[in-house]
Amino acid sequence: MTLTTPPARRPIAVVMGVSGSGKTTVGQELAARLGVPYADADEFHPPANIAKMSAGVPLDDTDRAPWLRAIAGWLADHRGTGAVVSCSALKRRYRDVLRAPVGHLPFLHLDGDPGVVAQRVAGRPGHFMPASLVASQFADLEPLGSDEEGMVADLAAPVDDVVARFTAYLSDHPVPA
């Protein structure tokens, strides 16, 4: 009789931070490196949310609730097979919604200088998120709690360095069976 080791479960992870922090770039590279699907949380916004943000009006918790549930559902669909999603996940309670259906959910928080972020957002042609909302995102941001799984990385650091550090973090904190 031959004993085989079951294949390791692929990680599910969230790249979080304010708009313009580099979530999409880092998330796509992380997913490619892990060999798992990638999704950008912007793809889950209903048209009403996009219209509101395009008009320079911050979303409230009522606006965010169905959006967060849709992202959480996508993560749940990839439990065991792995996935990476980029999502602002600014508040602890938002992260709790994302974490609820999957349990083990590490976050990579891209954090840094608000001036750098404002410049990045202002330089994105055609994106629905105006630079005028960056300050409201920083005001809403609740950093990862000491009991939340994940790590913080400088949003100005090279993407390869950030991804390498978080990949090492994931290796040191494997998905429980």
Side-chain angles (χ1 to χ4, degrees):
M1 176 165 102
T2 304
L3 296 177
T4 60
T5 304
R9 292 177 59 171
R10 299 273 179 124
I12 296 175
V14 176
V15 179
M16 65 171 277
V18 299
S19 184
S21 61
K23 297 182 302 291
T24 299
T25 302
V26 171
Q28 289 172 334
E29 180 60 29
L30 178 62
R33 195 148 323 163
L34 295 173
V36 298
Y38 169 78
D40 188 313
D42 287 350
E43 299 167 10
F44 295 84
H45 275 299
N49 283 8
I50 293 171
K52 193 171 184 177
M53 288 184 286
S54 295
V57 179
L59 299 180
D60 60 28
D61 287 353
T62 302
D63 299 320
R64 287 186 181 100
W67 172 68
L68 289 165
R69 285 192 303 270
I71 298 163
W74 186 84
L75 289 169
D77 289 345
H78 291 86
R79 188 175 184 189
T81 59
V84 172
V85 67
S86 295
C87 177
S88 54
L90 298 176
K91 295 183 180 184
R92 168 70 182 250
R93 67 181 172 266
Y94 304 163
R95 295 188 295 271
D96 289 345
V97 170
L98 299 175
R99 193 175 9 251
V102 296
H104 177 83
L105 186 61
F107 290 84
L108 170 57
H109 177 191
L110 300 177
D111 193 24
D113 182 352
V116 170
V117 172
Q119 285 179 327
R120 286 180 178 179
V121 172
R124 292 192 309 194
H127 194 275
F128 60 81
M129 178 70 165
S132 62
L133 293 182
V134 170
S136 72
Q137 289 214 326
F138 274 104
D140 284 349
L141 178 63
E142 296 173 2
L144 290 174
S146 60
D147 63 332
E148 290 186 277
E149 187 176 355
M151 63 171 263
V152 178
D154 183 348
L155 60 84
V159 172
D160 286 342
D161 293 353
V162 172
V163 171
R165 280 188 56 226
F166 194 62
T167 303
Y169 173 90
L170 292 173
S171 294
D172 292 341
H173 300 84
V175 180

